[in-house]
Amino acid sequence: MRKYMYIIDSDCSPNDSILNYALYGRIPEFNKAIRVALPDDIALRRKGCEVCYYGTGDERRISEFSPVVVVRYNGRLRVDREMTERWLNGLRPRQFYDAIQERGYRGWPRFGFLNKKQYSFCDGHSDKVYQLERIPRDLSDPGIFWSEEEYYKYGGRYIEKVRKILAEEEFALIRDMTDEEILDFYGRLCAMNESRLRELQDDYVKICLEEKVALQRVFKAISGVL
């Protein structure tokens, strides 16, 4: 039985020995990689601490493990046959991003690469796309995003987390943020870290809120002058 593993090194070649590379079982934070199919007879040893990966003493070339280039398109890793062919003929992984963009795709945090229509949708709804696992086909559906009443249902714990910080005196200027504004703010922070809603360190959230306060003060100062 074959086991899929991923190589994320920016310079690997089909003719390189697989023993020179770290092998990952999952790559949720990476949008492109080389996928290899490992047979049962290859010995792996676990490495890493915070991020688990594997190594091997096997000296066979990567080309002997049915390698393909996988790219995350709209939230899902897919085998990219064109990129695979180009890699087999000399294109290096560090060049993948530019090559994919040349085909009309653009990168977006967490979704990977999007076509022009999908990218335009994200650009126009950058404060709310954290709610989505993938960009839907029907972009005209009014129910794509949560209703005002659903915000607390899906993100109440994070809203309360931010409200606790907002209770501090230094945040009086932005303390009147609504549940929707708070969760959209928090969701953008999560999306910047390549994930949907999840627990973030209080210190990190506080720093971002401080930046928001600073911007509000600048805006008020400019408004006062005008």
Side-chain angles (χ1 to χ4, degrees):
M1 181 177 180
R2 298 186 305 174
K3 180 178 183 179
Y4 288 136
M5 301 290 281
Y6 301 91
I7 299 171
I8 58 175
D9 190 278
S10 64
D11 202 44
C12 76
S13 164
N15 293 320
D16 292 341
S17 173
I18 198 168
L19 67 78
N20 294 324
Y21 296 97
L23 302 168
Y24 293 82
R26 296 178 64 253
I27 51 168
E29 296 182 0
F30 291 89
N31 294 326
K32 52 194 183 307
I34 306 300
R35 190 188 76 186
V36 291
L38 304 182
D40 291 335
D41 66 349
I42 189 169
L44 298 176
R45 58 181 182 276
R46 185 168 178 169
K47 293 186 174 182
C49 296
E50 294 183 5
V51 178
C52 177
Y53 63 94
Y54 295 83
T56 181
D58 197 299
E59 297 183 355
R60 282 177 284 182
R61 294 180 300 174
I62 292 174
S63 61
E64 297 179 63
F65 297 98
S66 304
V68 292
V69 174
V70 291
V71 178
R72 194 178 310 280
Y73 289 107
N74 193 14
R76 292 183 179 174
L77 277 179
R78 300 194 333 232
V79 174
D80 190 318
R81 300 188 185 284
E82 180 183 335
M83 294 303 297
T84 298
E85 186 65 26
R86 294 183 66 178
W87 173 68
L88 291 172
N89 284 286
L91 188 73
R92 295 289 178 159
R94 64 174 178 271
Q95 300 171 298
F96 287 175
Y97 190 91
D98 289 341
I100 295 168
Q101 286 208 127
E102 288 171 2
R103 297 190 307 189
Y105 292 92
R106 294 292 180 270
W108 192 275
R110 196 167 55 79
F111 297 122
F113 291 91
L114 303 173
N115 61 34
K116 291 181 180 179
K117 185 176 181 180
Q118 293 164 340
Y119 186 89
S120 178
F121 174 81
C122 281
D123 194 43
H125 301 84
S126 60
D127 59 336
K128 296 186 184 297
V129 291
Y130 70 90
Q131 300 174 16
L132 306 176
E133 291 187 12
R134 303 178 70 238
I135 306 304
R137 290 184 179 181
D138 184 4
L139 300 180
S140 63
D141 183 356
I144 288 177
F145 299 118
W146 301 331
S147 65
E148 184 177 346
E149 295 75 22
E150 289 177 311
Y151 269 79
Y152 200 88
K153 173 183 176 182
Y154 293 115
R157 60 183 291 192
Y158 306 112
I159 292 172
E160 295 300 334
K161 176 188 181 77
V162 176
R163 285 208 180 281
K164 184 177 180 180
I165 299 174
L166 290 175
E168 298 178 21
E169 184 177 351
E170 62 186 290
F171 299 110
L173 192 62
I174 59 173
R175 193 173 295 149
D176 61 350
M177 291 172 67
T178 65
D179 287 356
E180 183 174 348
E181 290 171 334
I182 287 175
L183 199 57
D184 283 350
F185 160 81
Y186 191 88
R188 284 197 299 274
L189 298 185
C190 291
M192 288 167 59
N193 287 276
E194 302 290 342
S195 65
R196 298 186 73 192
L197 289 175
R198 67 176 179 87
E199 201 66 41
L200 297 174
Q201 293 291 329
D202 286 1
D203 288 346
Y204 174 64
V205 177
K206 188 172 182 178
I207 289 172
C208 295
L209 285 170
E210 289 170 348
E211 293 175 352
K212 188 174 181 66
V213 169
L215 287 173
Q216 282 283 5
R217 286 175 177 158
V218 170
F219 177 76
K220 283 183 173 293
I222 294 175
S223 298
V225 171
L226 296 177

